[in-house]
Amino acid sequence: LKFKNYLSKYCYDFNRCCKEPIHNRDIIFPNCIWDDYYSDIVANGTGSICEGDTIYLTSKLSYPMDSVKYSWTGPNGFTSNLQNTFIINATSIMSGDYIVKYTSRGFSSKDTVKITVNPSPVINIAGNSKFCYGDSSILEAYSKNSKLKYRWSTGDSTEKICVKDSGTYRVTATD
C-alpha cells in the first residue's frame, strides 16, 4: 500500500484495476494503491531568433490534468496565462529565461526555457550616389558582422555591385 499526503485521482486494487475515482482520503481503503494526481510541466521555445521575429512559447504536462491554470513570466515584465503563447516583433531586451508554472488542485510544477533575441545587423552602403550618364558606380554593403550574406534588389548576392542605371537599390542581409 502506498500513501502520500495529497489528492489522488483513482484508487486501484492490487491488480491495477481501477475501482473508482477518489477525491477524499479521509477514509482509508484497505487493498488500495493510490495513483497520485501530479504532473510535471515541460517548457519549450524558439531558442535563438533575430529581432523582429516571433517568440513561440509552449508547455506540455507529463500527465493530463483538469482544472489547470498556467502562468508564464519572463524578461521585461512579460506575463501570460495561456498554456502556449507567442510574442511578435521580438527585441533584444526580450532575451532571457521564460518560466511557465501550472497549478491544479493544489499541485504545481514549473520549468524554464531560455530565449535569445539577436539584434538585427546594421548594414551600411558605400559608393557614389551620383554619376553621369554612361558611367557606373560601385555600391558596397558592409557590416561589423562578417558572416552576413547579402541579397541586392538586382538579384546579386555579393557585397559589391556595379550599377549603370539611376534608381533605388536595396540590400538585405541574413546570417
Side-chain angles (χ1 to χ4, degrees):
L1 178 66
K2 70 177 182 176
F3 184 82
K4 292 187 179 177
N5 195 19
Y6 47 85
L7 294 174
S8 289
K9 186 174 182 183
Y10 293 98
C11 172
Y12 292 93
D13 65 19
F14 286 112
N15 295 319
R16 297 296 290 167
C17 296
C18 182
K19 293 176 83 172
E20 61 183 291
I22 304 296
H23 299 290
N24 186 345
R25 282 197 175 172
D26 292 337
I27 302 169
I28 302 297
F29 291 92
N31 303 324
C32 194
I33 298 173
W34 297 99
D35 183 18
D36 298 316
Y37 199 64
Y38 179 81
S39 182
D40 286 320
I41 193 164
V42 177
N44 285 299
T46 48
S48 182
I49 61 171
C50 292
E51 279 186 324
D53 288 347
T54 300
I55 297 172
Y56 291 98
L57 301 168
T58 61
S59 64
K60 184 176 181 180
L61 296 176
S62 60
Y63 182 81
M65 299 182 72
D66 58 359
S67 304
V68 178
K69 293 182 181 178
Y70 296 90
S71 173
W72 283 94
T73 58
N76 206 30
F78 172 78
T79 61
S80 175
N81 292 324
L82 300 173
Q83 177 181 0
N84 303 309
T85 189
F86 60 94
I87 307 166
I88 59 173
N89 296 319
T91 63
S92 58
I93 63 171
M94 296 174 183
S95 292
D97 290 340
Y98 287 80
I99 301 165
V100 63
K101 179 181 178 181
Y102 90 87
T103 56
S104 177
R105 299 182 179 221
F107 301 102
S108 67
S109 178
K110 65 182 177 178
D111 195 19
T112 303
V113 63
K114 184 170 195 66
I115 302 292
T116 302
V117 182
N118 298 303
S120 296
V122 175
I123 304 168
N124 297 299
I125 299 176
N128 291 330
S129 61
K130 296 180 182 179
F131 55 93
C132 295
Y133 180 78
D135 287 342
S136 63
S137 179
I138 294 178
L139 302 179
E140 180 181 7
Y142 62 94
S143 174
K144 290 181 181 179
N145 183 346
S146 62
K147 296 179 182 181
L148 295 178
K149 295 176 184 163
Y150 299 98
R151 172 69 73 188
W152 290 88
S153 55
T154 61
D156 292 307
S157 58
T158 58
E159 288 182 38
K160 297 178 184 180
I161 62 170
C162 180
V163 295
K164 295 181 180 183
D165 297 322
S166 64
T168 302
Y169 295 91
R170 292 182 178 88
V171 66
T172 303
T174 58
D175 58 0

